[in-house]
Amino acid sequence: MGGTQLDCLIIGAGPAGLTAALYLARYRRRIAVVDAGNSRAALIPATHNYPGFPDGIPGRDLLVRLQAQAAHYDVQVRPDTVDELRQDQDGGFTAAIGPEGVRATMVLLATGVVDRQPDNAALTDLRIATLAGVVRWCPICDGFEVLDQEVGVIAPADSGVEHALFLRTYARRLTLIVSPGGAPLTAADRTRLQAVGIRVVETPIAQIRLTAAHQIVVGFEDGVESRFEALYPMLGCTAQSKLATRLGARCDDKGELLVDDHQRTTVPGLYAAGDLVEGRQGFV
């Protein structure tokens, strides 16, 4: 990888990065893909809204298929981390990957975001609960999958009301668990929630655990427990945008990168795609 000047280095091998790799390879560009192995898509138990899979497909299987499709055009994903990205005097880029420096005319960042987890909870294995479809992260993607279930939403008051009202479209019963530290619910908020039968809990969480029957039990500091068939920790996410912002790329207040209609950031030659891009996270 290090001996050739690439046309494009793609950082991140989720659906956005692999789709870009497929197109660029078919355009006969010299490309390379580097991925740290932490794709958010790999945690999807089954997606039912990805076109072409009427019976749904697990996120990890989708990634395998996308990699296999890219491999038809000699695209291989290198499992590694880009430690630093700098812009050269000629306008190109050098990426530090371990001891190696990889040069590319352009770079596409598809490094995604990391969901914030409840820091006051003691869920022993959030990954298992996510893969089991009990803990969920994106109501836009999978709200339909909790149809007629008992659903809990953990969120701050300023954003939790809209999350809860949206998910009430699907849930049989819904509880909004207000995370501490933010602004309190207003009287108008409480009226809106009560009007559609949303229960509100403002007691801090003491523990979250997964039962053998794949239910989520949320224990509160007052000793009360609530059981849910699905739980959404809607606490926002952290954009993996430091490689770009260190080069001066503009982002919003959440760290998501600003791009134009051609996915160009404000740094010439630096592109971004997928969840890392501003406005792609829906309610999150």
Side-chain angles (χ1 to χ4, degrees), residues 141-163:
C141 303
D142 57 25
F144 192 87
E145 269 60 69
V146 301
L147 194 65
D148 296 328
Q149 292 185 4
E150 180 89 30
V151 177
V153 177
I154 304 173
D158 56 359
S159 61
V161 173
E162 299 304 326
H163 292 315

Side-chain angles (χ1 to χ4, degrees), residues 10 45 66 80 93 95 118 126 165 198 208 229 235 266:
I10 298 171
L66 289 170
D80 217 325
F93 299 86
L126 199 62
L165 290 171
I198 294 175
I208 302 176
E229 294 168 275
L235 301 172
T266 53

Side-chain angles (χ1 to χ4, degrees), residues 159-206:
S159 61
V161 173
E162 299 304 326
H163 292 315
L165 290 171
F166 178 79
L167 275 165
R168 186 67 180 93
T169 306
Y170 304 98
R172 181 178 74 255
R173 284 190 294 272
L174 192 135
T175 300
L176 171 61
I177 303 167
V178 180
S179 59
L185 288 171
T186 66
D189 290 335
R190 294 180 189 279
T191 298
R192 293 174 71 198
L193 295 168
Q194 185 177 18
V196 292
I198 294 175
R199 172 186 172 223
V200 175
V201 177
E202 296 174 88
T203 307
I205 295 171

Side-chain angles (χ1 to χ4, degrees), residues 186-274:
T186 66
D189 290 335
R190 294 180 189 279
T191 298
R192 293 174 71 198
L193 295 168
Q194 185 177 18
V196 292
I198 294 175
R199 172 186 172 223
V200 175
V201 177
E202 296 174 88
T203 307
I205 295 171
Q207 185 185 50
I208 302 176
R209 68 179 190 275
L210 178 66
T211 71
H214 279 184
Q215 284 189 324
I216 284 286
V217 178
V218 179
F220 299 96
E221 289 186 356
D222 60 4
V224 174
E225 291 187 339
S226 294
R227 289 176 177 261
F228 301 103
E229 294 168 275
L231 181 70
Y232 282 86
M234 304 301 295
L235 301 172
C237 53
T238 301
Q240 304 300 288
S241 57
K242 287 184 179 179
L243 290 173
T245 56
R246 287 170 182 165
L247 292 175
R250 291 182 58 200
C251 61
D252 65 10
D253 58 1
K254 294 184 291 185
E256 295 170 3
L257 296 176
L258 304 181
V259 300
D260 65 12
D261 291 342
H262 298 281
Q263 304 302 127
R264 294 177 293 201
T265 73
T266 53
V267 174
L270 182 64
Y271 294 71

Side-chain angles (χ1 to χ4, degrees), residues 117 122-131 135 208-210 216:
Q117 302 177 8
L123 183 59
T124 55
D125 198 331
L126 199 62
R127 183 182 181 87
I128 290 176
T130 301
L131 289 170
V135 169
I208 302 176
R209 68 179 190 275
L210 178 66
I216 284 286

